[in-house]
């Protein structure tokens, strides 16, 4: 065997080993993304089923005050009866709805016949961009109210600038974020560990077109397609450059 032939064979086997490793690795990543998609689909199905359950109300709402018990009821409909604690209302800034910037209004609601207080995300209102410190006028009923909604995590956190979002006592009602643990300490209210997204009619001037929960199944299917596509492309390139062209070159050299 000539040195040139030996070098060619060495390169062929090196490329072969690298190709097998690359195909196996990308295919494994594709399968992993499909597994993640299956997990997310199971989560999505469980949440969709939970959202179709009857609303929790009355004594069943005691679960909101049980530490660690909320996972099983997250996203489930609820029907709250209680009194608004309007003096603790806060306005979460830089929140979008219908592609517009404004506030998400959060007001604690003390449940009827219970010491439990729930932070209710009541809806969205536009802000005054001429006077950024101005608060919109809200109709907050006094006395006993009934609020339909669904159990949700605490309001999503946004990037805080200049330490914004802190909740030291005496701060303005406009905030970047709201941490329920810190808000509980600030107000002294026995806040539940979850919040409630209010749903229903928008006659009070607040928009409630909340985004539909999505577990992101399509994202994982897209990633799996990319990994499997890359795996197939590597295999095709290997077959073309290392087998087909090699065969043609060998055939041409063997022609007298």
């Amino acid at each position: 065997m000539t040195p040139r032939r030996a070098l060619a064979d060495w390169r062929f086997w090196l490329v072969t080993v690298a190709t097998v490793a690359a195909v196996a690795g990308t295919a494994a990543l594709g399968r992993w993304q499909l597994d993640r998609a299956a997990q997310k689909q199971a989560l999505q199905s469980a949440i969709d089923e939970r959202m179709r359950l009857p609303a929790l109300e009355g004594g069943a709402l005691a679960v909101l005050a049980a530490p660690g018990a909320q996972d099983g009821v997250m996203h489930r409909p609820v029907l709250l009866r209680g009194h608004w604690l309007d003096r603790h209302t806060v306005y979460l800034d830089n929140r979008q709805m219908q592609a517009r910037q404004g506030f998400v209004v959060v007001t604690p609601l003390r449940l009827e016949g219970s010491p439990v207080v729930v932070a209710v995300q009541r809806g969205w209102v536009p802000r005054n961009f001429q006077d950024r410190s101005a608060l919109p006028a809200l109709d907050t009923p006094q006395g006993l109210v009934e609020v339909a909604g669904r159990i949700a995590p605490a309001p999503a956190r946004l990037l805080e600038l200049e330490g914004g979002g802190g909740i030291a006592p005496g701060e303005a009602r406009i905030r970047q974020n709201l941490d329920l643990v810190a808000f509980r300490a600030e107000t002294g209210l026995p806040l539940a560990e979850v919040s409630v997204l209010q749903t229903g009619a928008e006659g009070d001037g607040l928009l409630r077109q909340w985004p539909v929960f999505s577990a992101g199944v399509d994202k994982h299917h897209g990633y799996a397609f990319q990994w499997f596509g890359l795996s197939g492309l590597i295999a095709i390139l290997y077959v073309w450059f290392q087998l087909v062209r090699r065969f043609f070159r060998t055939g041409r050299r063997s022609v007298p």
Side-chain angles (χ1 to χ4, degrees):
M1 179 182 295
T2 64
R4 183 175 181 181
R5 177 63 180 274
L7 179 61
D9 288 345
W10 179 81
R11 287 176 176 172
F12 172 80
W13 287 111
L14 179 62
V15 171
T16 298
V17 171
T19 300
V20 170
V23 170
T26 50
L29 288 170
R31 290 194 299 272
W32 179 73
Q33 288 294 342
L34 288 181
D35 289 341
R36 290 289 294 157
Q39 294 171 15
K40 292 291 185 69
Q41 183 60 62
L43 173 63
Q44 183 74 59
S45 299
I47 289 176
D48 290 344
E49 180 64 26
R50 195 177 295 164
M51 294 176 69
R52 291 190 288 268
L53 292 173
L56 293 172
E57 57 180 311
L61 293 174
V63 69
L64 299 179
Q70 296 82 12
D71 291 344
V73 295
M74 192 67 71
H75 304 288
R76 184 167 176 175
V78 292
L79 185 62
L80 309 178
R81 295 182 180 87
H83 296 79
W84 292 118
L85 304 179
D86 185 45
R87 66 190 184 92
H88 295 299
T89 296
V90 295
Y91 299 79
L92 302 184
D93 199 5
N94 297 316
R95 309 290 164 143
Q96 285 195 359
M97 193 167 288
Q98 296 182 336
R100 299 165 60 196
Q101 291 283 353
F103 300 114
V104 164
V105 181
V106 181
T107 301
L109 181 78
R110 187 182 299 278
L111 300 185
E112 180 186 25
S114 170
V116 178
V117 177
V118 180
V120 179
Q121 301 182 54
R122 297 171 58 189
W124 179 94
V125 288
R127 73 170 305 161
N128 185 333
F129 288 98
Q130 280 69 45
D131 182 2
R132 298 184 64 86
S133 64
L135 295 176
L138 293 179
D139 179 18
T140 303
Q142 302 299 310
L144 185 65
V145 296
E146 188 172 272
V147 177
R150 66 176 185 267
I151 301 174
R157 292 187 63 83
L158 302 181
L159 178 65
E160 295 183 3
L161 302 176
E162 301 179 2
I167 54 173
E171 188 183 6
R173 288 188 170 190
I174 299 177
R175 306 182 181 190
Q176 185 78 356
N177 293 301
L178 183 66
D179 181 277
L180 292 182
V181 175
F183 193 53
R184 185 186 303 124
E186 174 193 345
T187 60
L189 298 173
L191 281 171
E193 296 183 3
V194 294
S195 69
V196 166
L197 286 177
Q198 185 176 353
T199 56
E202 299 176 349
D204 54 3
L206 291 163
L207 293 181
R208 300 191 182 95
Q209 297 177 9
W210 306 111
V212 178
F213 176 83
S214 173
V217 177
D218 293 340
K219 175 184 67 176
H220 292 289
H221 283 151
Y223 289 155
F225 176 80
Q226 293 175 13
W227 284 119
F228 286 133
L230 181 57
S231 181
L233 177 61
I234 294 171
I236 291 171
L237 291 176
Y238 172 81
V239 170
W240 174 254
F241 287 104
Q242 297 299 315
L243 300 180
V244 176
R245 293 187 62 181
R246 186 186 182 93
F247 173 79
F248 284 143
R249 285 198 302 267
T250 303
R252 285 198 298 269
R253 283 197 298 267
S254 64
V255 174

